Amino acid sequence: MKDFLNTFYKNHSLLYKVILFIATTFLIVYLFPKSGRFKYNFEKGKPWQSETLYAPFDFAIQKTPEELSKEKEQIKANATLYFSIDPKVLPIVKKAYEDNFYTTFPDSIYRDESRSLKKQGEQIIDELYKYGVLEDHLSRVPTTEVTVLENRVERYKTQFSEIYQLEYIKRDVLEKLEKANLEGYQSEYIALFFDIIKPNLTYNKTFTENVINEALQAVSFTRGSIEKETLIISKGEIVEGDKFLILKSLESEYESQVWNESNYNLIVFAYTLLVALALIILLLFLRKYRLDVFKNDTKVTFIFFNVLLMVFLTSLMVNYNSQYIYIIPLAMLPLVLKAFFDARLGLFTHVITVLLLGSIVPNSYEYMFLQIIAGIVTILTVSELYKRANLFISVAQITMIYIIAYFAFFVIHEGSVETLKWETFAMFILCGLATLFVQPLIYIYEKLFGLVSDVSLLELSDTNSKLLKQLSNEAPGTFHHSLNVANLAEAAANEIGANAMLVRVGALYHDIGKMKNPTYFTENQSSGVNPHDELAPQESASIIVDHVLDGIEIAKKNNLPDRVIDFIRTHHGTSAVYYFYMKEKHVNEAVDIADFSYPGPKPFSKETAILMMCDSVEAASKSLKDPTSTKIDKFVENILNKQMEEGQFLNANITFKEIQVIKKVLKRKLANIYHLRIEYPE
């Protein structure tokens, strides 16, 4: 069990990467649209680029969404309305008319005339109730067909115009009285009818909607069919009209046949192989060229997360509407990775992601070409991301590249610009605006993953920050030394292409541990009193060496990033406090140099190696008396050669040529500091 735990602990990082790889692979495959891919790319109004196409099997021609929508709207507009009739209402209305007629009309009317008026009223009631009186207000076309039901059984059919609505009864009665020349008795009739007329029809909404739904469900989604081996389209022929509809029908039928139940699992397995292959290549790249990133589980997780995020956003848009695919700001991926790592890693990851997405987007070649070109331009143009103007300029350049490349593709396909889709250009502009979100996104990533970007480094380089102000107050000599080292290191980093901002920040904070015992370091001994005179050499060496551990402790308390703390840990490597070692050796020949050495580790990057060189040279340069160019050259050579002999740079990815370049920079800078002129021969 103990052996198993030891093995697990030794390989836990590798096991984590395996789990991360498997989880990311399955998530990406899950996000991919679950539909087949038609092996031909085509667009309406553009020439057919592939070989002459014959129908591979029998299939039906599908109606377009517009045709189906129009057909359904016609069904709804022409649908029969169903009403329910209450047969008890009419007898009640007639009885009420009989009972109230003589009390409504005056007694002065002659008997014969009274009978005539009563008969006229009965005729009006019969006309009103011939097809029924409706209480609800319905706004329908007069010719709409109406079916009247009694106890859910059809009683008669008519048109909507034949039905009277209760709210218009007064108007309708007046019209009938006018036709019968009974205008003189309008008030009596209106008063009588107002009291007795009741609706006998109600709109049966449920029954009507059920009938409409049945009709909608019966709508055919196809019109006609194509037999196997029928010529569909010839090479170079324009894809339009019926040709386009037939191709869309074939595409849909092909995808439905490919993604059937029998081979679904096989196709998903094939997708998994492709995704796994792409992610393995990404991991192999990290292991071969970015070993420090590969060993850091957080950084690998961060890279995989960003790939997954871009796949998620693109899949979402493909499922919603693939026409808007270019709104997704894919150029953010290399921007983010360049901000935290380097341009090469950012571009490689971007290309891998684009290759993954090429299997799910329409017009995959065009899409991949545009996105890879945009990624390359992003890497080449974006420098010093912490400067806002640079980001805006780069985003404008990326947007222009999108527009130019799309325009070129369109002209190649169309042969003209008459049908150019200007809305696509608007999508590229929106994509550019979305890319500007990279600044707040970088800040969010810093908090989530504990990484450091150039934006944060710029903030840390501010000498008015709390920690650097404390350093300048408590150890002013150390603060001035740190500024000088920062200037030297930044110049050296720029000369060999290292991260100048990172090394500058590391230089500013590398000696913050000296704040704990500032007077024990010569640069802070302004009074001329040296407390080391009263200490044994080993005690003095212990205090000097401890400033590294004290610096790490102070840095962690102030939440400095690990990348900055690395400079504190490595700026002396495993070198010895040589002065106190030699002092002790005069007394004790058996002294162990390990007791006077820094704990390390040795520098493990170009930036930490640069800081070690610049720190040693700047500190030792204070002891130069009557400096000349020759003295400075020899001085720099001696210090750096000694560090190389001790193997301090063996773990850093820095070449001998780069060290020689750094030597030249340091010699030139020190000569400028001491205001030396060229020594002319006598």
Side-chain angles (χ1 to χ4, degrees):
M1 183 66 180
K2 186 177 180 181
D3 292 339
F4 171 77
L5 291 174
N6 288 336
T7 305
F8 177 81
Y9 179 76
K10 288 178 182 178
N11 298 286
H12 75 279
S13 181
L14 181 60
L15 181 62
Y16 173 81
K17 290 181 183 66
V18 171
I19 295 172
L20 178 66
F21 164 76
I22 294 172
T24 307
T25 301
F26 280 105
L27 278 173
I28 290 175
V29 173
Y30 174 77
L31 290 172
F32 275 2
K34 296 299 183 290
S35 60
R37 287 295 312 278
F38 191 46
K39 59 182 177 180
Y40 301 104
N41 287 322
F42 63 92
E43 289 187 50
K44 189 175 183 179
K46 295 184 179 181
W48 178 255
Q49 300 292 330
S50 305
E51 69 275 6
T52 299
L53 180 63
Y54 294 89
F57 44 74
D58 296 342
F59 65 93
I61 304 173
Q62 296 182 351
K63 295 177 182 176
T64 64
E66 293 77 16
E67 288 176 329
L68 288 171
S69 177
K70 186 177 180 181
E71 190 171 337
K72 289 178 179 180
E73 288 300 323
Q74 287 179 344
I75 289 174
K76 291 178 182 178
N78 299 328
T80 300
L81 298 181
Y82 287 84
F83 295 91
S84 297
I85 189 170
D86 185 354
K88 298 177 182 177
V89 173
L90 182 57
I92 294 173
V93 170
K94 286 187 173 182
K95 187 175 188 310
Y97 177 76
E98 185 76 28
D99 295 342
N100 294 294
F101 178 80
Y102 292 108
T103 57
T104 302
F105 284 83
D107 296 335
S108 58
I109 298 176
Y110 292 109
R111 181 180 294 274
D112 291 342
E113 186 178 0
S114 175
R115 288 176 182 170
S116 177
L117 291 174
K118 184 180 178 185
K119 189 174 182 180
Q120 291 285 351
E122 290 172 350
Q123 290 176 355
I124 292 173
I125 290 173
D126 289 337
E127 288 180 21
L128 290 175
Y129 284 95
K130 181 178 181 181
Y131 296 107
V133 176
L134 180 65
E135 181 177 15
D136 303 323
H137 171 71
L138 286 178
S139 173
R140 300 292 291 189
V141 177
T143 56
T144 301
E145 187 175 324
V146 169
T147 298
V148 177
L149 306 175
E150 183 177 343
N151 295 326
R152 300 183 65 83
V153 177
E154 182 181 327
R155 182 168 170 182
Y156 56 85
K157 291 183 178 180
T158 184
Q159 291 183 336
F160 187 74
S161 58
E162 299 294 333
I163 292 176
Y164 292 95
Q165 299 189 57
L166 191 62
E167 61 179 313
Y168 302 128
I169 284 295
K170 180 178 178 180
R171 180 199 65 189
D172 296 333
V173 169
L174 288 174
E175 289 178 359
K176 294 184 182 301
L177 291 174
E178 188 177 347
K179 287 180 182 179
N181 297 319
L182 298 174
E183 293 93 333
Y185 299 98
Q186 285 181 359
S187 58
E188 287 84 355
Y189 276 115
I190 293 299
L192 179 58
F193 287 151
F194 183 81
D195 289 334
I196 66 171
I197 297 298
K198 305 293 179 187
N200 68 335
L201 292 181
T202 55
Y203 176 51
N204 197 328
K205 185 178 180 181
T206 303
F207 198 93
T208 302
E209 289 181 350
N210 288 339
V211 172
I212 292 174
N213 288 335
E214 287 179 7
L216 291 176
Q217 290 173 5
V219 171
S220 173
F221 288 85
T222 62
R223 55 176 180 83
S225 62
I226 300 293
E227 294 183 359
K228 185 178 180 180
E229 300 300 332
T230 301
L231 174 65
I232 295 177
I233 192 166
S234 302
K235 186 174 183 178
E237 196 173 348
I238 302 299
V239 179
E240 58 184 357
D242 287 341
K243 298 284 184 183
F244 177 73
L245 296 178
I246 293 170
L247 284 170
K248 291 297 289 183
S249 300
L250 176 60
E251 180 182 37
S252 177
E253 187 67 25
Y254 178 86
E255 291 172 357
S256 65
Q257 287 193 18
V258 169
W259 284 80
N260 57 36
E261 195 171 323
S262 61
N263 56 8
Y264 175 87
N265 294 331
L266 183 62
I267 295 174
V268 169
F269 175 71
Y271 262 133
T272 305
L273 287 179
L274 286 177
V275 174
L277 184 62
L279 295 181
I280 286 173
I281 292 172
L282 180 56
L283 285 172
L284 290 175
F285 173 86
L286 293 176
R287 190 174 184 275
K288 185 172 180 62
Y289 297 106
R290 297 294 181 271
L291 189 58
D292 57 325
V293 176
F294 181 79
K295 289 180 178 179
N296 190 313
D297 292 341
T298 301
K299 292 179 179 179
V300 175
T301 304
F302 174 73
I303 294 169
F304 274 49
F305 174 80
N306 277 276
V307 172
L308 188 61
L309 177 64
M310 288 304 159
V311 172
F312 169 72
L313 293 176
T314 307
S315 301
L316 208 64
M317 190 57 71
V318 169
N319 286 326
Y320 173 69
N321 191 336
S322 60
Q323 291 181 350
Y324 304 124
I325 194 71
Y326 288 110
I327 292 179
I328 304 300
L330 208 63
M332 284 176 65
L333 180 60
L335 270 177
V336 168
L337 296 181
K338 185 181 179 183
F340 289 108
F341 305 109
D342 60 83
R344 190 177 178 187
L345 174 58
L347 181 59
F348 190 87
T349 308
H350 177 72
V351 171
I352 289 292
T353 306
V354 172
L355 291 175
L356 281 173
L357 295 175
S359 62
I360 63 170
V361 297
N363 301 317
S364 54
Y365 173 75
E366 180 180 319
Y367 175 85
M368 289 192 292
F369 184 89
L370 261 66
Q371 296 295 2
I372 290 174
I373 289 293
I376 293 171
V377 171
T378 301
I379 293 297
L380 294 177
T381 60
V382 177
S383 59
E384 297 177 325
L385 190 61
Y386 52 85
K387 294 182 180 178
R388 288 173 295 180
N390 287 0
L391 179 61
F392 279 97
I393 293 169
S394 297
V395 166
Q397 292 171 331
I398 294 165
T399 305
M400 282 304 301
I401 291 298
Y402 271 127
I403 291 173
I404 292 169
Y406 174 78
F407 176 81
F409 269 111
F410 188 88
V411 172
I412 289 170
H413 290 158
E414 294 288 337
S416 70
V417 295
E418 294 178 0
T419 57
L420 194 64
K421 297 179 181 178
W422 297 101
E423 60 269 18
T424 307
F425 293 159
M427 281 190 275
F428 291 137
I429 294 171
L430 286 174
C431 177
L433 294 174
T435 306
L436 294 174
F437 183 70
V438 71
Q439 284 281 22
L441 185 64
I442 287 172
Y443 176 79
I444 293 168
Y445 279 153
E446 287 178 335
K447 300 304 177 186
L448 287 177
F449 292 91
L451 300 173
V452 183
S453 69
D454 286 350
V455 179
S456 292
L457 292 176
L458 180 65
E459 294 173 356
L460 290 170
S461 67
D462 184 6
T463 53
N464 288 315
S465 65
K466 180 182 175 183
L467 192 55
L468 291 180
K469 272 196 171 249
Q470 185 182 352
L471 178 64
S472 66
N473 291 330
E474 297 181 11
T478 300
F479 177 71
H480 186 261
H481 159 73
S482 298
L483 286 176
N484 290 337
V485 174
N487 292 331
L488 290 173
E490 185 176 17
N494 281 324
E495 204 68 28
I496 67 168
N499 191 330
M501 178 63 71
L502 176 61
V503 77
R504 179 176 181 82
V505 172
L508 289 173
Y509 290 91
H510 78 284
D511 269 344
I512 56 174
K514 292 181 179 180
M515 288 192 292
K516 192 166 184 180
N517 297 299
T519 56
Y520 285 84
F521 300 90
T522 55
E523 67 264 25
N524 299 312
Q525 294 169 1
S526 56
S527 62
V529 177
N530 190 346
H532 289 290
D533 294 339
E534 300 175 3
L535 298 175
Q538 195 160 353
E539 289 179 296
S540 296
S542 178
I543 292 172
I544 299 297
V545 169
D546 283 348
H547 89 273
V548 172
L549 300 176
D550 294 335
I552 294 171
E553 185 180 349
I554 293 170
K556 288 185 176 179
K557 282 183 179 178
N558 287 271
N559 297 317
L560 288 185
D562 288 340
R563 287 176 79 184
V564 177
I565 295 175
D566 287 341
F567 288 91
I568 301 173
R569 294 167 55 217
T570 61
H571 73 278
H572 285 296
T574 57
S575 61
V577 186
Y578 201 71
Y579 174 80
F580 292 109
Y581 169 69
M582 293 305 296
K583 191 175 179 181
E584 178 69 19
K585 197 169 185 180
H586 285 305
V587 180
N588 179 16
E589 284 289 336
V591 63
D592 186 359
I593 195 171
D595 296 334
F596 292 83
S597 298
Y598 288 93
K602 295 175 182 179
F604 46 78
S605 67
K606 283 183 182 180
E607 289 76 17
T608 51
I610 290 170
L611 177 62
M612 185 178 192
M613 298 179 208
C614 296
D615 180 44
S616 302
V617 168
E618 203 285 331
S621 69
K622 297 294 188 290
S623 63
L624 276 174
K625 294 179 181 179
D626 301 322
T628 63
S629 293
T630 305
K631 280 185 179 181
I632 287 174
D633 289 357
K634 187 177 179 181
F635 164 77
V636 171
E637 289 286 346
N638 288 338
I639 290 178
L640 268 60
N641 286 342
K642 184 181 178 183
Q643 289 176 338
M644 291 172 67
E645 288 170 6
E646 292 176 353
Q648 297 295 339
F649 308 133
L650 291 177
N651 296 334
N653 59 335
I654 192 166
T655 64
F656 181 76
K657 182 180 179 181
E658 288 170 335
I659 294 174
Q660 296 304 112
V661 172
I662 292 169
K663 285 180 181 179
K664 291 179 183 179
V665 173
L666 293 177
K667 291 171 185 177
R668 185 177 70 248
K669 284 288 181 180
L670 286 177
N672 292 336
I673 290 171
Y674 289 107
H675 307 290
L676 298 179
R677 295 184 179 181
I678 299 171
E679 295 181 7
Y680 295 98
E682 294 181 1

